[in-house]
């Protein structure tokens, strides 16, 4: 183990290393209270020596969200991110639970898009993400757990099932 003192903010939730490139490290954190916040999604391309928050790591309506994406302004301006899932058979696909739904990158964290598994209601906290390879569409299977329950996507995060229907509802972790 080696302590990495350069990751800010220090209220970190999750850290994941790309299984195909150990230089790529993703970290998530709670809102840090700064005017120019460093919280949410951070990444390192040099095994944790330096960290950046990608420009698209915060939802920006009309830029990196689908039409009709609904996340409260204070959630976007006070970003928090939680669980991280990396697709094992295509590690350039990264899924992160945030306080505005799910952030998805298909280019190893360079750019991020945000989706809400429950588009009929405002986006809320997604606490954890588990990603499996394969699946019926060969786009992996993504399971998330959040304030709205457990949801699953079998097409890379484009469509979601679950909540109070096919998958267990209620609190989860």
């Amino acid at each position: 183990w080696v302590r990495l003192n350069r990751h800010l903010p220090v209220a970190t939730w999750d850290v994941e290393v790309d299984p195909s490139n150990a230089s790529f490290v993703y970290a998530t954190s709670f809102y840090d209270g700064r005017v120019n916040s460093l919280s949410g999604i951070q990444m390192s391309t040099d095994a944790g020596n330096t960290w950046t928050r990608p420009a698209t790591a915060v939802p920006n309506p009309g830029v990196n969200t689908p039409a009709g994406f609904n996340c409260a302004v204070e959630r976007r301006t006070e970003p928090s991110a939680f669980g991280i899932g990396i697709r094992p058979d295509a590690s350039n696909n990264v899924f992160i639970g945030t306080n505005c739904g799910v952030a998805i990158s298909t280019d190893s964290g360079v750019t991020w898009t945000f989706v809400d598994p429950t588009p009929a209601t405002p986006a809320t906290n997604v606490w954890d993400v588990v990603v499996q390879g394969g699946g019926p569409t060969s786009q992996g299977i993504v399971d998330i757990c959040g304030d709205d329950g457990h949801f699953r996507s079998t097409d890379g995060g484009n469509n979601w099932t679950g909540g109070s229907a096919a998958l267990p509802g209620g609190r989860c972790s």
Side-chain angles (χ1 to χ4, degrees):
W1 294 92
V2 176
R3 182 174 170 89
L4 300 175
N5 292 322
R6 292 183 182 94
H7 178 254
L8 296 173
V10 294
T12 301
W13 180 279
D14 196 5
V15 177
E16 294 287 335
V17 178
D18 184 322
S20 66
N21 183 347
S23 292
F24 281 64
V25 184
Y26 305 91
T28 59
S29 60
F30 295 106
Y31 176 61
D32 58 10
R34 297 172 188 238
V35 172
N36 294 316
S37 178
L38 299 173
S39 64
I41 299 169
Q42 299 88 28
M43 66 174 297
S44 173
T45 57
D46 59 9
N49 288 316
T50 60
W51 294 87
T52 60
R53 187 172 91 176
T56 56
V58 175
N60 187 352
V63 176
N64 64 346
T65 63
F69 184 82
N70 181 6
C71 184
V73 173
E74 62 273 5
R75 286 179 170 267
R76 288 183 310 205
T77 57
E78 298 177 359
S80 290
F82 311 109
I84 304 168
I86 301 173
R87 190 171 147 194
D89 61 342
S91 64
N92 56 308
N93 293 290
V94 183
F95 300 80
I96 295 180
T98 76
N99 64 334
C100 277
V102 181
I104 302 171
S105 177
T106 58
D107 57 11
S108 299
V110 175
T111 59
W112 295 89
T113 57
F114 285 76
V115 298
D116 179 6
T118 59
T121 61
T124 58
N125 296 325
V126 172
W127 298 108
D128 207 359
V129 180
V130 176
V131 184
Q132 303 172 58
T137 64
S138 298
Q139 294 175 301
I141 297 171
V142 183
D143 285 290
I144 63 164
C145 165
D147 289 350
D148 293 324
H150 174 205
F151 288 83
R152 174 174 281 176
S153 174
T154 59
D155 62 3
N158 293 310
N159 296 288
W160 298 88
T161 58
S164 62
L167 299 172
R171 295 197 175 272
C172 55
S173 65

